[in-house]
Amino acid sequence: MPISLYNGLTRRLEPFVPLDPQRVTMYVCGPTVYNFVHIGNARPPVVFDVLARLLRRHYPQVVYARNITDVDDKINAAAQQQGVPITTITDRFAQAFRDDMAGLGVAPPDIEPHATAHIGEIVAMVEQLLASGHAYAAEGHVLFDVGSYPAYGELSGRDTEELIAGARVDVAPYKKSPGDFVLWKPSTPELPGWDSPWGRGRPGWHIECSAMSAAHLGETIDIHAGGIDLQFPHHENEIAQSTCAHGGKAFARYWLHNGMLTFGGRKMSKSLGNVLLVHELLQQHPAEALRLMLLRGHYRQPLDWSEDAIQQAVNTLDGWYRVLRDLDGIDLPEGALPVPPAVEAALCDDLNTPQALAELSQLADAARQAGTAAAKAELLGGGALLGLLQQAPEAWFQRGGETIDAVHIEGLLQQRRDARAARDFARADAIRAELDALGIVIEDSAQGTRWSVK
């Protein structure tokens, strides 16, 4: 089943044909680790985790890199404010990011390069750009000469004149042109820095991804992905510096960008003060519902966050897990779980997760009606490709069990059963009300009485 992806560079849907079918390469821009990430930051890792799962089904080797930016002015400011080395900040929040992503069911990338571990590669790339006439040194800085690369602006669809007109008013005097961007900048004594041919300094933001991608994946990669907010200037600058450093070779063959997560129609960002931190949301909502929420819209479209949408995700998962709980006594066939063709076809069509989720709902209905091992396996197999339905049904329904006394709940249920058997329905209703006050929903069925957390 062929995979088609919307290529942001060509602005059309294209069949995915890797440079080397034996080794598919993908690079996704990771976080700048100076604080906890918000739920909008989690959309690219979740979405492209599904893409990585799909690619691994189709190709024998997928090398997936997602970087950690651990040198940045925001990191420097946080470290100075707290009076600690930058590693105190970056180590803490890099691990917090990993923990948050694991909570959302995101598999770790094959490679997690850190900018500070690639200073040598960054310096070497800057030297290549200087030697080829695409960069210049000025006042301790090294800048990329945008005018030396005629194709600049192709990814974002902006011409050079427009980009220059949109540059900040207070253009640094050492720039030849307002659109030129920093590859290397000097560090004052209190800031982190590394020795270089241009003096002690640190890399600009854009150069790190180009250098790390080349170091681990090669000069030309198959897929580069990230949020649409990175398209310009970050990804545009990556293309320019990588192409010029490597003698005109294409940097990335397919560019994928996910839409922004919005809150009441506004972009979610720390600067606007409307952020919802992942590590807090994981304490408030089931992690799998958060993942489902992030997948319910097509990745290229904006996705609006709301509590109602989260509750809908919880309700959807309740329904799917209820089917699996009813089929709990049915053993799965031996071997790997099958991947339903309809789910895979949806994902092969530019990662159409809304359609894939609709197919998963149909599989749940089919499994409910058929009650067979094959139908159960298809539901689980479809869920696995999306990173869903990965826990036991009882674990889902007893979510938050670490704060709920399951023995006490079972005791109340037994008292209710006894009351019903004695036809003391008033007592049975009182116990139901007591359970409801504890946040417990009970369900009477042919299989007996079951409970779940609201």
Side-chain angles (χ1 to χ4, degrees):
M1 192 176 295
I3 297 173
S4 294
L5 298 172
Y6 182 84
N7 190 344
L9 185 61
T10 61
R11 295 172 183 76
R12 62 173 181 259
L13 190 68
E14 298 178 357
F16 176 65
V17 182
L19 196 62
D20 178 3
Q22 299 301 309
R23 184 178 182 268
V24 176
T25 51
M26 180 168 74
Y27 187 100
V28 174
C29 287
T32 300
V33 285
Y34 67 97
N35 206 334
F36 294 107
V37 295
H38 62 70
I39 190 65
N41 301 136
R43 195 179 188 194
V46 169
V47 164
F48 299 121
D49 173 67
V50 175
L51 178 57
R53 292 169 188 254
L54 180 66
L55 291 170
R56 294 187 200 284
R57 263 191 58 75
H58 287 244
Y59 299 98
Q61 184 184 19
V62 176
V63 187
Y64 172 21
R66 187 185 66 218
N67 72 293
I68 294 287
T69 295
D70 59 348
V71 55
D72 180 86
D73 288 344
K74 292 177 181 177
I75 296 171
N76 298 340
Q80 287 181 331
Q81 184 179 21
Q82 298 179 36
V84 296
I86 63 168
T87 53
T88 301
I89 303 295
T90 58
D91 288 351
R92 176 191 178 191
F93 290 113
Q95 188 56 50
F97 172 75
R98 296 185 196 104
D99 293 342
D100 286 348
M101 295 308 103
L104 294 173
V106 175
D110 300 296
I111 304 167
E112 188 189 64
H114 288 53
T116 56
H118 293 79
I119 299 298
E121 290 87 346
I122 291 169
V123 168
M125 181 170 279
V126 174
E127 289 180 316
Q128 289 174 311
L129 291 168
L130 282 166
S132 59
H134 292 288
Y136 58 93
E139 298 183 23
H141 296 74
V142 181
L143 297 105
F144 184 86
D145 183 355
V146 168
S148 73
Y149 181 58
Y152 191 81
E154 282 188 356
L155 179 66
S156 57
R158 310 182 190 190
D159 60 44
T160 306
E161 292 302 318
E162 179 188 356
L163 298 176
I164 291 174
R168 292 181 179 179
V169 176
D170 54 341
V171 176
Y174 48 78
K175 285 189 175 185
K176 289 182 179 179
S177 170
D180 295 349
F181 58 89
V182 173
L183 301 171
W184 187 265
K185 52 189 172 183
S187 292
T188 52
E190 73 278 6
L191 291 175
W194 292 263
D195 291 334
S196 80
W198 319 284
R200 183 177 177 276
R202 60 198 190 279
W205 172 34
H206 313 296
I207 191 70
E208 65 175 78
C209 287
S210 289
M212 292 188 289
S213 176
H216 295 282
L217 303 181
E219 293 180 351
T220 300
I221 64 174
D222 290 309
I223 298 170
H224 196 312
I228 189 64
D229 58 328
L230 298 180
Q231 185 185 59
F232 182 85
H234 185 51
H235 290 166
E236 194 77 73
N237 291 353
E238 281 188 75
I239 291 175
Q241 62 202 9
S242 293
T243 303
C244 293
H246 299 141
K249 292 181 183 177
F251 172 39
R253 302 172 63 247
Y254 297 82
W255 285 88
L256 276 62
H257 294 100
N258 64 273
M260 292 293 94
L261 198 67
T262 57
F263 190 88
R266 301 181 70 196
K267 176 186 173 182
M268 191 177 293
S269 71
K270 297 182 180 72
S271 61
L272 292 176
N274 62 352
V275 300
L276 298 170
L277 300 180
V278 175
H279 82 285
E280 293 178 352
L281 290 172
L282 286 169
Q283 297 170 14
Q284 301 166 8
H285 302 284
E288 197 167 350
L290 297 175
R291 182 181 178 94
L292 177 57
M293 162 75 184
L294 292 171
L295 293 175
R296 70 180 179 87
H298 193 279
Y299 78 94
R300 287 195 283 119
Q301 300 302 316
L303 180 65
D304 200 53
W305 173 275
S306 71
E307 289 298 317
D308 286 345
I310 284 295
Q311 188 55 52
Q312 289 173 15
V314 171
N315 295 342
T316 297
L317 288 162
D318 278 346
W320 293 346
Y321 274 114
R322 195 170 289 116
V323 172
L324 291 172
R325 185 171 63 180
D326 290 343
L327 300 175
D328 195 46
I330 298 177
D331 293 332
L332 291 168
E334 292 186 6
L337 290 171
V339 174
V343 173
E344 185 168 12
L347 295 179
C348 285
D349 180 17
D350 193 31
L351 217 60
N352 191 341
T353 54
Q355 183 60 40
L357 293 171
E359 298 294 346
L360 204 61
S361 288
Q362 291 192 20
L363 288 169
D365 291 341
R368 181 185 297 110
Q369 295 171 15
T372 63
K376 177 181 178 181
E378 284 228 318
L379 176 58
L380 287 170
L385 194 56
L386 289 157
L388 300 171
L389 303 179
Q390 299 294 288
Q391 56 185 308
E394 288 307 318
W396 165 259
F397 285 112
Q398 296 178 22
R399 54 191 178 270
E402 67 276 3
T403 60
I404 291 173
D405 187 343
V407 174
H408 178 58
I409 301 301
E410 292 292 347
L412 289 174
L413 289 176
Q414 185 59 51
Q415 291 178 39
R416 180 174 177 271
R417 284 190 286 268
D418 293 344
R420 285 161 62 92
R423 303 187 66 78
D424 186 352
F425 297 115
R427 173 60 179 155
D429 288 345
I431 294 171
R432 176 188 280 271
E434 183 179 351
L435 288 165
D436 184 71
L438 292 171
I440 303 300
V441 177
I442 61 173
E443 176 189 357
D444 295 315
S445 68
Q447 289 79 25
T449 301
R450 292 164 169 167
W451 63 276
S452 60
V453 181
K454 287 183 181 179

